[in-house]
Amino acid sequence: LPQAMLVVALVAALGSTSTALGAAGVDVGARMLTGDVAALSPAEAAERLATTPAVPFVLRGARTSGPVFWLDVRPPPGAEQIADPALLIEKGRHLAVDLYLLRDGEPRAIELATSLPRYFGMHTAVFALPDTLTPDTRLLARVTASGRGAEQLDPQVASLAVTLTQGAAHARTITLAVGALGAMALGALVIWFVLKDRLFILYAVLFALQALYILFLSGQGFDWPGMQATVPLGAHAWNVPAALSGAAAC
């Protein structure tokens, strides 16, 4: 029975991947400005992007050029049909993004609305855009890398309401799965106080480690209060509990 309950919890949590990563977004093309650009203002970066040959965005090339680079983001065809547009940037947690909307040649800062946890040490920065997108809309993103993390940065345009709804569903699924595993761990520990069989200690350890595995693999644990200090651990935050739980299962 405990093994069956563990499988149910794991399937429920990992099955939310399709919900978490399946936001109905439209991939955005971008071109990059690299080199000695850390000191550029948004207006200077926009001017330089307008007067230099377009270079398609490739994260590996941008990262090798230095810790700071700029992206010129243009809405894809069909983006104007989104009534409540938001720019989603799925990225490693070590990449910080500042976003600017160019209007009449003047950059306007767009504040980060929220960030949503994603699997394998990533999260999605969500920027709510003030206006309906048009083919002439220009967005500038200043990306600053510090430390190490998942080397991925994918911009998308999507509905803000849909994105937040799917993010909430993802958070609920992970919380319920972790809660179920925590309850099984506590139940096994309570039974051990009565029966004094070492097997129940192993069950408690197994369930607790699996809860940590799901919590950090899903990215949810990095955002929970008091657990932000685990971000530098990266993949070790979920790989170590997974390995230890395997040892406990044996």
Side-chain angles (χ1 to χ4, degrees):
L1 179 61
Q3 290 90 338
M5 295 176 69
L6 175 59
V7 170
V8 170
L10 286 171
V11 170
L14 298 179
S16 70
T17 307
S18 59
T19 299
L21 301 181
V26 181
D27 289 336
V28 174
R31 58 193 189 117
M32 62 184 184
L33 177 65
T34 60
D36 187 15
V37 297
L40 294 181
S41 68
E44 292 170 335
E47 181 179 359
R48 186 174 296 186
L49 279 163
T51 57
T52 56
V55 179
F57 170 57
V58 178
L59 181 58
R60 179 175 296 181
R63 291 286 283 117
T64 56
S65 69
V68 177
F69 58 92
W70 290 82
L71 296 180
D72 182 9
V73 180
R74 303 292 181 103
E80 63 274 7
Q81 299 176 6
I82 302 175
D84 55 341
L87 182 68
L88 315 181
I89 302 180
E90 187 172 345
K91 61 186 183 64
R93 291 174 177 267
H94 65 304
L95 300 174
V97 177
D98 298 308
L99 187 67
Y100 302 90
L101 172 65
L102 282 180
R103 178 174 293 167
D104 298 327
E106 293 295 326
R108 172 186 172 186
I110 303 296
E111 297 296 328
L112 178 70
T114 187
S115 61
L116 303 176
R118 290 292 181 256
Y119 283 81
F120 303 109
M122 297 190 297
H123 68 171
T124 298
V126 180
F127 296 90
L129 302 179
D131 301 315
T132 301
L133 297 175
T134 68
D136 297 327
T137 301
R138 284 190 64 192
L139 297 166
L140 286 182
R142 185 182 191 271
V143 183
T144 305
S146 59
R148 300 175 60 186
E151 291 294 336
Q152 183 172 337
L153 193 149
D154 297 320
Q156 282 189 334
V157 172
S159 164
L160 179 62
V162 170
T163 299
L164 296 180
T165 299
Q166 293 184 342
H170 171 63
R172 284 194 301 271
T173 303
I174 297 302
T175 301
L176 288 173
V178 171
L181 288 167
M184 288 190 285
L186 182 59
L189 187 61
V190 170
I191 293 175
W192 175 79
F193 281 115
V194 177
L195 299 181
K196 299 298 183 183
D197 189 326
R198 189 182 68 171
L199 178 63
F200 292 105
I201 288 290
L202 293 176
Y203 273 140
V205 172
L206 173 63
F207 291 141
L209 289 171
Q210 285 293 336
L212 289 176
Y213 168 69
I214 291 176
L215 190 62
F216 287 110
L217 178 68
S218 67
Q220 203 76 32
F222 295 117
D223 292 335
W224 280 19
M227 302 182 73
Q228 291 88 348
T230 59
V231 171
L233 295 177
H236 298 300
W238 62 83
N239 283 335
V240 171
L244 293 177
S245 68
C250 295

